Amino acid sequence: MEAINKLINEFYEKYKGLPSNNPIVRMNQKNDAFELVVFDTLYGEEKELDLIENSSKIADELSKYIVAPPDDGVDIVVEHEDIEGNIFDFVQVKNKKLSDLELKQAFLYMEDTAKRCSKNIEQVGTNLKEVLANTGFSRGDARNTHFIVVHTGEKNYFKDQKANWQIITLTELELVRNNKNIALPKVPTEEFNSDSFNNFIMYEEDAGNPAILMNLRAYDLAKMAIKYANSSLGRNVLFGQNLRDSLIKKSATYDGMVDTIINTPEKFWFYNNGITIIAEDFEIKKDSTSNVEKLILKNFSIINGAQTTSAFGRFYKDMDNNRREEDLKKLKNVYVLARVLKINDEEFKSNIAIYNNTQNPITSRDMAANRYEQRTIYNKLLNGTPHIYMEYRRGTTMPSDVRVFKHQKTTNEELAQLIYAGILRDPFTAKDKKSSLFNKLKSDEDIMINKYYDKIFNPNGGELFTRSKEEIDELLFVYYLYKESKKMSIREYKKRINEHIINLENEKNEENKKRISSYIEQFNLLKAINNVCSFYCIDYYYALKEILGINKVLKYKCIEFYTNSDFQKNMIKSFDKMFLRETVKIIKNNATMASLNTWVRDRKSTEIFNNAANSHIADDMIEIKENFEMFINEYIG
């Protein structure tokens, strides 16, 4: 809280009385500056406003987002245009701790305000109207609104909380400020009580990596799992250095844990494998009043046991929301065995995380999640426009303050495949190397993982380090157009097949039956090719650009594509005609149809397809160029 209070004081001094015509920070009202801290934390980077360096220069700009008092219960309004339809954030900021009832009332108040605005803007006050006038908020947009309440308490949930209601606590706000561009966040410091017997076993390793073996209470772990579940960062900070976030869902595993906690809490210790914590430092202190020893951890993370800890957190919330206090108390009698390791060497940390995660299968992709290049690419793609969310760690979600188009969500694995297929025009490698892309080859001492991984992810010349975000955005959009075109084509093929099947059943003439059967066979073949030609279609798109000499990045009209259904349908149809159908023809004329799936995965097929595509484009150069130019003129912004 100290850092936030310091920032509140700084912003108050910078912005008090600004803008002069209708101040967003009133004189002698220091709490108003807390709204600036929230805006700076959640939206400052997105809106490219630096509140720390500037003040009077951007006060007028800030007044487009921050509602001056009186505010109709809405302190901040932010519109996100880079998504299917406009999405609005309505934010209420309270520089105090709110109860469950107060939180619910705040959300209901904002919801009511949004509904009134949506029906008739004249129903709300002048200050909110002025802010909304800078947005596209209009009739019906209440349903496209995300409501956020920021308060200084620790409660970030309550019973019957709606999906579009988000609570941000002071802890979350501080973590966002401190970890926004850090891919491996850590919990700064926390205290744990030992069990009543002060059971600690100290372990000293020659290399200077001490460790403690102890019992931790499930109740304490549950509260931390809730406290650090940071939706704004897209992951639980408590598991920040794990290879993945918790993958647990409400399943038989969770139900079994609940049954044990409620009926035989003292036996949980025997059934569970325990957890492992990595900390940069720790110390043990004895409480002078209770004589119970406390473990103080600094800059730490649970690197094994995310499933168990998340289950404790879910149990706590379920019992708390349903006022099952007696069952909630049982968590205080549940203990798990914990290994606490003091480690500062990054490579050693990563190895421990890998070797400790065996309960759920760890893939080679998981093992690469903590690598420098993965974190760097993630930040490069996410920050600044266009935003691209690349999942490189299983179990994480996109930060809640980031808005992307549908095509701008991908994984590091998928992105590598698309680069091979399109930019590098190598569909074979895109398909064949997926399973081994992240496999470390011990014999290759001069490379990071293997040559295919290095080609994409090496900081020294890898494709993702040399290509611009705009190039990656174009690639992802082309892939999205392929998927939508494929759906449209397959629907049409299915329709035709079903029509011919009906005709076949009613046909008596044998010759006609043979002819109809051949139609069904051809449509089934085309449908099959559509299903397996994704990488070849992307290859064809880049072949066209290469041969026609189009070296620039093509920036498509994404906003219009996602907001105008007619524009979207026409663009998908045009892509289908221009790229997908031509890809299917080339494969149909060159593949061995008896084993289509084998053909598209054969190394020789890439060479065959590329030669055929190049010849096809060269043979019909004039017509194809005219069609591509029409496509560009129609759909490029």
Side-chain angles (χ1 to χ4, degrees), residues 81-85 386 405-408 473-474 477 554-564 567-568 571 635-637:
E81 295 183 337
D82 54 347
I83 198 166
E84 187 173 354
F405 292 119
K406 287 183 178 179
H407 72 273
Q408 291 168 332
D473 191 47
E474 179 186 358
F477 189 63
L554 299 181
K555 298 180 181 179
Y556 291 98
K557 297 176 182 177
C558 290
I559 293 177
E560 193 167 355
F561 178 83
Y562 286 105
T563 57
N564 185 326
F567 181 91
Q568 184 180 91
M571 188 174 185
Y635 300 114
I636 300 299

Side-chain angles (χ1 to χ4, degrees), residues 124-184:
V124 298
T126 302
N127 292 337
L128 180 56
K129 277 195 296 186
E130 288 180 357
V131 171
L132 289 173
N134 296 303
T135 73
F137 194 90
S138 59
R139 189 174 185 85
D141 276 333
R143 63 176 177 269
N144 296 327
T145 303
H146 179 67
F147 300 98
I148 301 170
V149 173
V150 181
H151 74 128
T152 59
E154 294 184 0
K155 200 70 183 291
N156 58 7
Y157 67 93
F158 59 85
K159 189 176 182 181
D160 300 325
Q161 181 178 339
K162 295 181 182 180
N164 64 333
W165 293 1
Q166 180 186 356
I167 303 167
I168 296 180
T169 65
L170 190 63
T171 297
E172 178 164 348
L173 210 60
E174 290 175 326
L175 286 168
V176 171
R177 293 197 70 86
N178 295 332
N179 293 282
K180 191 131 192 174
N181 295 318
I182 298 174
L184 296 178

Side-chain angles (χ1 to χ4, degrees), residues 37-77:
V37 174
V38 172
F39 180 86
D40 182 58
T41 305
L42 301 180
Y43 306 109
E45 185 177 330
E46 177 189 341
K47 300 304 178 184
E48 298 181 345
L49 294 174
D50 190 338
L51 277 71
I52 295 175
E53 294 299 322
N54 302 298
S55 54
S56 58
K57 293 180 181 178
I58 64 167
D60 288 333
E61 191 67 23
L62 285 172
S63 66
K64 295 178 181 178
Y65 305 102
I66 297 174
V67 185
D71 53 28
D72 289 270
V74 180
D75 296 309
I76 300 170
V77 176

Side-chain angles (χ1 to χ4, degrees), residues 21 32 64 70 104 201 259 359 361 380 416 424-425 427 573 598 637:
N21 61 322
D32 289 351
K64 295 178 181 178
K104 187 171 184 178
I201 298 177
D259 183 67
Q359 286 183 317
K380 170 189 171 181
L424 301 177
R425 296 197 60 200
K573 286 180 181 178
T598 302

